[in-house]
Amino acid sequence: MGKVYLIDVTNRDGVQTAKLGLSKLAKTMLNMYLDEMGVYQSEFGFPTTRHESNYLRANLKLQAMDVLKSIRLSGWMRATAEDVEKAFRLVPELKVLNLSISTSSQMIRGKFLGSKSEEDILSLAAEAIEAAKAHGAESIGVNAEDASRTDTDFLLRFAALARERGADRFRYCDTLGYDNPFTIYEACKLLAQELDIPIELHCHGDLGMAVANSVAGAMGVIDGGQDAYINTTVNGIGERAGNADLVAVVLALKKSKGLARKYKFGVPIRLSMAWKICKYASYAFGVPIPINQPGVGANAFAHSSGIHADGVLKDPENYELYDFKELGRGEPEMVETGREICSGEYSGISGFKHLMGKMEIHFESSEEAEEILELARYANVLAQKPLVADELRFIARYPDITRQLLTMTPLSESAYRQVEV
Ligand SMILES: [Zn+2]
């Protein structure tokens, strides 16, 4: 029986969201939390984008240092040999890749404007896979963009070719949120039955069904005999109406009627991280968690009407499907209501030592304190808001990694070609 795995794409699809973004430190913190939560893989960024290079390499270093313990870090790029070459030039340590190309006739016609045929799509993907293998990629996922609007025969041909050329997973992208739970179940079951390859579900919420479609698609994949990999984002942040929300997907698989018996996670998920990671993503993106968000919304465990309040006080199971403690809620949180010293890009040593002292971080020497302060100032330049305790702890603990994360040097294309990686 196949299992369910989670691939979080907040650091790739989430940060592509219009009007939103994350600092490189915030992306790193999310990787740390996702790892702690037991998420199988983080699609951690864009290896062909030059301002990502130091961040990506620093995170691969954290993985080599065993700070990021079990999470896999995958780079996303277009499925062309040119993008693969560029990715490995900028991030030579990359091991896990996702290669993406449009497969629907709408996009082949509408994006390439007659310059590419279905056969061209197949050969581009084949060349990209070949290039990735030549560079020693250990795991390759191939993404069919707009799979839900792709002709089934061509989708099968595309996925079969990817498998044949050495791809390890096939991503079914419901790029526009066009599917519904019934159509995606059938489509993914057929793919799983016809192809000998694990399948990823990538769903969007344009019709409000991203979580339901992810779960139904995963059920189809498993019923068809393969492992299912669900793409999520923290708080469902993603382009337009967003992606499948990480916590809601976990809750659905664990708590919905009868699902947990048949559809199990391949690696245990620590749901108790939910509160922490969702609050952090909300702070980092600057987007409040909706009051009614599953599990972590302010009202997820709130009751006021007489019948409900009476019922939940007698037995919480009367009106709650799961306990707030399972999501890491219920602990008191300290909020400063009086004088506050916070970090900033113009911070000085006295305030900084006071701030760090409150977290019981003390420095061996004044040189060390100055060094960490300098890094915190630069982190503030990128964040443009006071850093939170976990970020300051990270900076104090991994100063060299932080320096790499914060280093960005814009260069012209020709200057880049001369840089030794
Ligand atoms: Zn997407």
Side-chain angles (χ1 to χ4, degrees):
M1 199 73 185
K3 296 277 196 304
V4 182
Y5 299 83
L6 299 179
I7 296 180
D8 190 84
V9 298
T10 309
N11 279 333
R12 198 279 299 172
D13 219 2
V15 296
Q16 279 182 219
T17 308
K19 304 166 197 168
L20 298 181
L22 293 176
S23 74
K24 307 306 179 196
L25 177 61
K27 294 182 84 171
T28 305
M29 297 306 297
L30 278 182
N31 290 331
M32 300 277 284
Y33 292 140
L34 290 166
D35 184 44
E36 213 177 324
M37 195 170 177
V39 168
Y40 177 83
Q41 183 168 311
S42 169
E43 192 156 279
F44 74 146
F46 304 87
T48 58
T49 301
R50 294 187 293 224
H51 62 71
E52 291 267 272
S53 303
N54 278 339
Y55 150 75
L56 296 169
R57 299 186 77 186
N59 275 261
L60 289 164
K61 216 177 271 174
L62 285 172
Q63 192 179 48
M65 289 158 67
D66 215 25
V67 175
L68 291 171
K69 289 188 173 58
S70 53
I71 200 160
R72 287 142 187 85
L73 299 172
S74 60
W76 184 98
M77 67 207 72
R78 292 175 300 185
T80 67
E82 196 189 342
D83 267 26
V84 172
E85 295 296 339
K86 190 172 182 188
F88 278 101
R89 190 181 125 66
L90 294 174
V91 189
E93 306 86 350
L94 198 62
K95 292 283 174 243
V96 185
L97 280 72
N98 263 86
L99 309 171
S100 185
I101 196 159
S102 314
T103 53
S104 67
S105 54
Q106 162 65 41
M107 285 200 178
I108 296 173
R109 202 177 50 237
K111 283 169 71 169
F112 299 118
L113 303 174
S115 68
K116 302 239 180 308
S117 64
E118 287 186 345
E119 300 310 312
D120 294 329
I121 298 295
L122 295 176
S123 41
L124 279 169
E127 284 161 23
I129 296 167
E130 210 162 287
K133 289 189 90 67
H135 280 283
E138 286 169 7
S139 172
I140 303 168
V142 173
N143 309 352
E145 189 191 21
D146 206 14
S148 49
R149 294 194 298 175
T150 300
D151 167 70
T152 305
D153 288 338
F154 181 62
L155 196 61
L156 282 164
R157 267 185 78 201
F158 177 81
L161 168 115
R163 180 51 153 174
E164 194 185 292
R165 296 304 174 99
D168 301 282
R169 278 197 304 277
F170 170 69
R171 180 176 293 180
Y172 177 97
C173 302
D174 184 20
T175 307
L176 271 71
Y178 176 56
D179 261 314
N180 61 59
F182 304 99
T183 55
I184 199 167
Y185 175 89
E186 290 303 332
C188 291
K189 188 175 178 185
L190 176 76
L191 285 164
Q193 283 168 336
E194 296 289 321
L195 302 161
D196 177 28
I197 188 167
I199 295 169
E200 290 185 28
L201 294 310
H202 181 93
C203 301
H204 277 269
D206 300 70
L207 300 176
M209 293 189 283
V211 173
N213 285 345
S214 301
V215 172
M219 291 164 70
V221 171
I222 289 172
D223 290 353
Q226 296 290 338
D227 284 330
Y229 292 74
I230 298 179
N231 289 187
T232 61
T233 63
V234 185
N235 297 336
I237 295 285
E239 295 193 273
R240 306 179 312 279
N243 293 54
D245 170 41
L246 168 66
V247 171
V249 165
V250 176
L251 285 172
L253 281 158
K254 281 182 180 284
K255 308 291 181 184
S256 182
K257 202 171 183 176
L259 288 191
R261 273 199 302 278
K262 193 170 174 195
Y263 306 100
K264 296 182 194 304
F265 285 103
V267 281
I269 296 293
R270 281 178 285 280
L271 190 55
S272 57
M273 280 294 295
W275 182 243
K276 197 180 202 180
I277 194 169
C278 293
K279 290 265 287 185
Y280 179 76
S282 165
Y283 147 82
F285 276 114
V287 177
I289 296 175
I291 194 169
N292 57 346
Q293 187 163 313
V296 295
N299 268 5
F301 299 94
H303 311 273
S304 71
S305 74
I307 293 169
H308 282 235
D310 176 61
V312 86
L313 286 168
K314 284 175 176 151
D315 179 354
E317 285 188 32
N318 283 330
Y319 285 103
E320 290 173 0
L321 268 178
Y322 43 86
D323 193 277
F324 58 83
K325 292 197 192 79
E326 289 183 63
L327 294 121
R329 296 182 72 154
E331 293 294 320
E333 283 179 354
M334 294 287 287
V335 178
E336 193 60 74
T337 60
R339 180 175 302 115
E340 198 179 352
I341 307 291
C342 39
S343 74
E345 60 196 284
Y346 306 108
S347 288
I349 194 68
S350 159
F352 185 66
K353 276 186 172 168
H354 170 85
L355 186 60
M356 298 302 266
K358 278 177 89 173
M359 295 186 292
E360 292 179 2
I361 296 172
H362 304 285
F363 302 104
E364 302 268 316
S365 61
S366 51
E367 288 76 31
E368 191 196 356
E370 288 285 354
E371 186 199 341
I372 304 302
L373 166 61
E374 183 71 343
L375 291 170
R377 284 189 188 125
Y378 272 75
N380 270 287
V381 171
L382 295 184
Q384 286 298 304
K385 55 190 153 198
L387 302 179
V388 295
D390 276 358
E391 292 174 322
L392 289 166
R393 278 191 202 99
F394 181 92
I395 294 170
R397 198 153 177 208
Y398 307 109
D400 293 340
I401 294 285
T402 304
R403 190 170 298 104
Q404 191 173 7
L405 287 174
L406 299 174
T407 304
M408 275 181 262
T409 314
L411 293 172
S412 66
E413 183 70 38
S414 58
Y416 249 102
R417 289 189 186 283
Q418 287 157 24
V419 172
E420 278 302 313
V421 184

